[in-house]
Amino acid sequence: MSGKRLLLNLVIGAASLAALYLLYRAFQKYTWADIFESVQALPWSNLGFSLLFCAGSYLSLSLFDALGVRYAGKPLPFHRTLLASFCGLSIGHTVGLAALSSGAVRYRFYSRWGLSNEEIAKVIVFCGVTVGLGLAALAGIGLLLRPQAAQALGIGEGVAMTIALTCLAACAAYVVASVFLRGSVRLWKWTVDMPDWRLALGQIAVGTVNFACVAACLHQLMRAYGNAGYFDVATAYVTGNVATLISHVPGGLGVLEATVMHLIGEQKAIGALIAFRVIYFFIPLAIGLVLFLTSSFYLREPEEERSENQPSKREAAVLN
């Protein structure tokens, strides 16, 4: 086994152990009685729709990767990008530092499917940009349609409208840049290949749908405890997500809850937040770990690695 392969296995092993530890620690934070009571209080309709929107989010996330491999010039069958995305992000959402943790898992899959290190890096950066575009688009749409939702942040309607238009203008500028800027673009110390305008539109579409589904997942649970509107919850979730990205707290544990509680202002919402963490983080994590560990035994080594470890046809003929 090469040194690079050994290092990758150590990183993935550490990420998997960290995910299991954080899962254990998170369940210590909420007793089984708390979890059971919060889930039991949910009507079946709300719970069902919440699970449906959770599935919609992870399906949208898999489209990040499906577009990403096209951007890298190495399109793959959808079932492969679905597997790589779900395993990587179900672990990365909980471990935190998703670019590193989910990136290592993605590398494990994509390297075995023939992508080079540079191509895998392109996929990961492309997905990261899609996250930012999705957050900006949903924030812009939410504040534009309901600027009152930002009042809990101490932001007036005029400022909220300005933020909304800025977010939407940034998304539009990205698409315009993808039309007129062809090839590589120099950004400070980095050189970036601009995507085709159709891929850029796809990024904004799937990024927005993803975060809209996550907000809808949380909203369905919040409805069981109060009368919070969808755009109020969406604004709170986007704000909490940004705070999570800034803090780098694994899985946003505590940050998301504190932000949403501050913005929504309903004490009973803690039950919905517990249920949300179970549905959106813990259940996918458990499934993702099983899928990842199982698939590791069945996926073949990449062609270049097999060619290094196996003799050539001429060598085989000599040996025989």
Side-chain angles (χ1 to χ4, degrees), residues 58-127:
Y58 278 94
L59 182 62
S60 299
L61 289 169
S62 69
L63 294 176
F64 287 23
D65 284 59
L67 294 175
V69 293
R70 289 183 178 277
Y71 166 72
K74 285 294 184 71
L76 293 171
F78 178 66
H79 69 272
R80 288 190 170 183
T81 55
L82 175 62
L83 178 63
S85 172
F86 181 77
C87 290
L89 291 171
S90 61
I91 294 172
H93 281 162
T94 304
V95 174
L97 296 173
L100 178 61
S101 54
S102 68
V105 175
R106 281 169 162 142
Y107 180 88
R108 181 66 170 267
F109 284 107
Y110 290 138
S111 63
R112 291 184 170 189
W113 293 330
L115 274 72
S116 67
N117 292 349
E118 182 180 355
E119 290 163 345
I120 296 171
K122 283 185 175 181
V123 174
I124 294 172
V125 171
F126 182 91
C127 292

Side-chain angles (χ1 to χ4, degrees), residues 23 51 56 76 96 118 169 171 176 189 197 216 241 264 270 281 312:
L23 182 63
L51 288 167
L76 293 171
E118 182 180 355
C171 294
V176 171
K189 298 180 180 179
W197 66 270
N241 210 282
I264 300 299
I270 191 63
F281 290 91
S312 64

Side-chain angles (χ1 to χ4, degrees), residues 72-274:
K74 285 294 184 71
L76 293 171
F78 178 66
H79 69 272
R80 288 190 170 183
T81 55
L82 175 62
L83 178 63
S85 172
F86 181 77
C87 290
L89 291 171
S90 61
I91 294 172
H93 281 162
T94 304
V95 174
L97 296 173
L100 178 61
S101 54
S102 68
V105 175
R106 281 169 162 142
Y107 180 88
R108 181 66 170 267
F109 284 107
Y110 290 138
S111 63
R112 291 184 170 189
W113 293 330
L115 274 72
S116 67
N117 292 349
E118 182 180 355
E119 290 163 345
I120 296 171
K122 283 185 175 181
V123 174
I124 294 172
V125 171
F126 182 91
C127 292
V129 172
T130 307
V131 169
L133 290 170
L135 278 173
L138 183 61
I141 293 170
L143 291 175
L144 188 65
L145 295 178
R146 184 168 168 74
Q148 306 93 318
Q151 289 180 351
L153 294 170
I155 297 175
E157 291 189 21
V159 176
M161 291 290 287
T162 302
I163 294 173
L165 293 174
T166 301
C167 289
L168 295 176
C171 294
Y174 180 76
V175 176
V176 171
S178 70
V179 174
F180 293 101
L181 298 179
R182 312 302 298 173
S184 299
V185 177
R186 184 79 176 177
L187 294 175
W188 292 282
K189 298 180 180 179
W190 300 279
T191 300
V192 180
D193 294 330
M194 288 298 296
D196 177 82
W197 66 270
R198 287 162 292 194
L199 284 178
L201 282 176
Q203 284 180 277
I204 295 173
V206 298
T208 306
V209 169
N210 166 57
F211 286 110
C213 284
V214 183
C217 174
L218 177 58
H219 177 244
Q220 285 297 317
L221 301 172
M222 298 286 284
R223 285 182 60 192
Y225 294 90
N227 297 316
Y230 173 77
F231 287 112
D232 295 307
V233 174
T235 301
Y237 176 75
V238 169
T239 305
N241 210 282
V242 171
T244 296
L245 293 173
I246 294 172
S247 67
H248 289 303
V249 173
L253 196 62
V255 178
L256 179 61
E257 284 86 346
T259 305
V260 174
M261 284 294 297
H262 172 71
L263 294 178
I264 300 299
E266 295 182 19
Q267 191 62 36
K268 289 184 179 180
I270 191 63
L273 289 165
I274 294 173

